[in-house]
Amino acid sequence: HSLVQQSKLKLGEGYAYQGRYRGGRKCLDISVGKDSIHRTLLIMDALIKALEKRGFIVSINDDHRDNTSVMINEETIFFCIFESSRQIPNPKREIDRWENRYEYIPSGRLSLKIKNYYHGQKSISDGKIQQLENKLNDFIVLLLKASEIAKIRRKERQEREKEYQKRVKMEREIALKKK
């Protein structure tokens, strides 16, 4: 997929933070160790193609941070893929500064995560038996649930806004009558 190819180039020139590589702007929201980049790109390629096959639109939003999003039922759902890491004390570095106290070692365990706020399950991860590649459909189901929840919340916000505007209008009319 073109977004995966674009991200592959960006990850090659990307930067590592706490043992994980990120591509920065105009890159899929990926945060993984160097050894997991290829596998991650294959997973994202399969996921994006599966989403687009179902009629959903996947894009990279290049605002103040890099975000991968999918448009489902007129709702934008943000998601990412990341690799967990272990934090171990680092005696070789200076202990004066906080960021030098620990060394982060990628675990090889990948997770797909929904970044929108809502209650319920938000991620699918590698398991002891089944890898993330075999759980992509489960993640798509989570995305669909998240879009339904987002739609309900949006409608509730719109109703509250209508009620607020109605109340403000009535208060203005009362104030004008008093004057």
Side-chain angles (χ1 to χ4, degrees), residues 7-37:
S7 297
K8 182 179 181 181
L9 295 173
K10 295 290 285 181
L11 280 168
E13 60 192 41
Y15 61 93
Y17 177 70
Q18 294 184 345
R20 291 183 234 138
Y21 282 80
R22 298 185 55 84
R25 291 183 178 260
K26 299 188 181 188
C27 181
L28 293 168
D29 200 343
I30 294 172
S31 179
V32 296
K34 188 173 186 177
D35 295 338
S36 298
I37 291 175

Side-chain angles (χ1 to χ4, degrees), residues 3-173:
L3 294 176
V4 174
Q5 290 175 346
Q6 178 180 331
S7 297
K8 182 179 181 181
L9 295 173
K10 295 290 285 181
L11 280 168
E13 60 192 41
Y15 61 93
Y17 177 70
Q18 294 184 345
R20 291 183 234 138
Y21 282 80
R22 298 185 55 84
R25 291 183 178 260
K26 299 188 181 188
C27 181
L28 293 168
D29 200 343
I30 294 172
S31 179
V32 296
K34 188 173 186 177
D35 295 338
S36 298
I37 291 175
H38 181 70
R39 178 177 170 225
T40 300
L41 291 172
L42 291 175
I43 290 170
M44 289 299 274
D45 187 59
L47 178 62
I48 292 169
K49 288 177 180 176
L51 289 167
E52 288 183 345
K53 188 175 182 180
R54 289 167 173 82
F56 306 132
I57 300 166
V58 179
S59 61
I60 297 172
N61 301 322
D62 190 30
D63 53 4
H64 62 283
R65 59 185 186 269
D66 50 336
N67 277 318
T68 306
S69 67
V70 60
M71 181 70 76
I72 301 176
N73 300 326
E74 300 176 9
E75 299 297 329
T76 303
I77 307 298
F78 297 102
F79 67 96
C80 67
I81 187 166
F82 68 95
E83 180 176 6
S84 60
S85 58
R86 292 178 310 172
Q87 174 182 318
I88 58 171
N90 189 359
K92 297 177 188 174
R93 296 184 181 172
E94 295 176 23
I95 300 182
D96 297 347
R97 300 178 64 192
W98 176 254
E99 67 265 10
N100 290 331
R101 290 184 181 186
Y102 300 101
E103 187 174 328
Y104 296 89
I105 300 172
S107 67
R109 187 170 182 223
L110 298 178
S111 297
L112 280 164
K113 180 180 178 182
I114 296 173
K115 296 174 84 174
N116 295 51
Y117 175 78
Y118 75 97
H119 296 287
Q121 185 179 4
K122 296 181 188 178
S123 65
I124 299 285
S125 302
D126 280 332
K128 291 180 181 178
I129 299 171
Q130 201 171 25
Q131 289 190 317
L132 190 61
E133 292 89 328
N134 300 322
K135 298 179 179 182
L136 295 182
N137 200 47
D138 295 340
F139 187 68
I140 292 172
V141 170
L142 284 182
L143 289 169
L144 289 166
K145 287 179 184 177
S147 74
E148 290 300 317
I149 291 168
K151 183 175 260 185
I152 291 167
R153 284 191 173 165
R154 182 175 45 85
K155 287 181 180 179
E156 289 172 351
R157 275 192 311 273
Q158 288 172 343
E159 287 298 318
R160 284 193 305 268
E161 181 64 24
K162 282 181 187 177
E163 290 296 321
Y164 173 75
Q165 293 299 331
K166 195 186 280 186
R167 193 170 52 244
V168 167
K169 184 179 177 183
M170 286 177 58
E171 289 172 0
R172 282 185 194 152
E173 289 174 357

